[in-house]
Amino acid sequence: AQSVTQLGSHVSVSEGALVLLRCNYSSSVPPYLFWYVQYPNQGLQLLLKYTTGATLVKGINGFEAEFKKSETSFHLTKPSAHMSDAAEYFCAVRDYYGGATNKLIFGTGTLLAVQP
Amino acid sequence: DAGITQSPRHKVTETGTPVTLRCHQTENHRYMYWYRQDPGHGLRLIHYSYGVKDTDKGEVSDGYSVSRSKTEDFLLTLESATSSQTSVYFCAIRGTSGGSLGGEQFFGPGTRLTVL
């Protein structure tokens, strides 16, 4: 079965510092991977996705993620944090059960705080 | 904007009462999903639909039922609400990019349900 593990339920960085949010996945097939962001009292918004092709994926708001098959990782980074990046971030993998399904498996989320 | 609305946005009800949440989409998407979000659990799939009158269970379906009598509406019903169903409920649709099985999901704004 597919699964996603997000290391660190809370991450705090200073404004201007590097943001690194960790996501490791387990998948029996080449994975489709996603990062979502959730601002307070809002729904989830897609940041970026990896399906096939280039392993470095660029998303919105200056975020990017790199698919590393050997490490089964899909970490999210941003070179310089901004106060507006404070939110909860979710990693997700497409489910696969005897064939690709139309379901996503979500991690438990990482709450990012940005200190002035 | 995937054109997803949820109603009501907030609801407080009492244990044992029936509750119905509505998800409405305006873009004729085939796949629709209901999730619940709880601290420490991320998003968990309750039920999903792959067409009118076609639905299936997710990982936390006990105590919930769904109906989809037309493409644009997906209803989630709590037959007899319990305090353990206090949560934030999100509806999602599956996008059409990435081929038939690779589409990311787009989320509605959520419904905050409190069962007293």
Side-chain angles (χ1 to χ4, degrees):
Chain A
Q2 321 300 91
S3 66
V4 168
T5 301
Q6 291 185 240
L7 298 175
S9 58
H10 292 78
V11 170
S12 181
V13 300
S14 298
E15 191 173 19
L18 171 71
V19 175
L20 171 60
L21 304 182
R22 300 178 186 273
C23 174
N24 288 90
Y25 68 89
S26 172
S27 177
S28 56
V29 297
Y32 282 18
L33 295 158
F34 307 84
W35 274 102
Y36 285 85
V37 60
Q38 184 182 31
Y39 299 102
N41 299 313
Q42 294 187 24
L44 277 70
Q45 178 182 1
L46 181 68
L47 268 179
L48 50 80
K49 67 176 182 180
Y50 169 79
T51 54
T52 59
T55 56
L56 182 62
V57 180
K58 295 186 184 300
I60 61 172
N61 301 338
F63 283 93
E64 62 184 32
E66 186 171 11
F67 170 64
K68 292 187 176 181
K69 182 179 178 181
S70 62
E71 299 178 8
T72 62
S73 69
F74 189 57
H75 301 332
L76 182 71
T77 60
K78 182 174 180 178
S80 177
H82 191 273
M83 297 295 291
S84 61
D85 296 325
E88 190 160 20
Y89 293 80
F90 293 92
C91 183
V93 64
R94 185 186 65 178
D95 195 17
Y96 185 92
Y97 184 75
T101 75
N102 296 289
K103 296 185 283 185
L104 297 181
I105 305 297
F106 285 86
T108 53
T110 297
L111 188 62
L112 175 66
V114 181
Q115 308 298 329
Chain B
D1 184 1
I4 306 169
T5 57
Q6 293 184 232
S7 59
R9 294 293 313 279
H10 301 271
K11 187 170 182 65
V12 179
T13 191
E14 294 189 350
T15 298
T17 60
V19 176
T20 296
L21 309 183
R22 179 181 183 238
C23 177
H24 179 77
Q25 54 128 339
T26 59
E27 299 185 359
N28 206 36
H29 291 284
R30 178 181 174 192
Y31 291 89
M32 299 183 74
Y33 306 81
W34 275 108
Y35 292 90
R36 61 178 290 172
Q37 182 179 23
D38 304 287
H41 291 278
L43 275 81
R44 294 180 291 176
L45 182 65
I46 305 172
H47 282 279
Y48 68 102
S49 170
Y50 46 97
V52 173
K53 299 190 187 302
D54 292 323
T55 65
D56 204 352
K57 296 179 179 180
E59 64 177 307
V60 291
S61 60
D62 287 349
Y64 301 94
S65 62
V66 290
S67 65
R68 193 169 178 199
S69 59
K70 46 186 178 177
T71 300
E72 59 266 35
D73 289 326
F74 191 32
L75 304 181
L76 176 70
T77 296
L78 290 65
E79 302 289 351
S80 178
T82 68
S83 58
S84 65
Q85 293 176 311
T86 292
S87 186
V88 181
Y89 292 86
F90 287 99
C91 174
I93 59 91
R94 197 192 64 134
T96 54
S97 68
S100 62
L101 293 173
E104 62 273 27
Q105 293 179 16
F106 297 96
F107 287 79
T111 294
R112 184 172 297 274
L113 177 67
T114 301
V115 183
L116 302 176

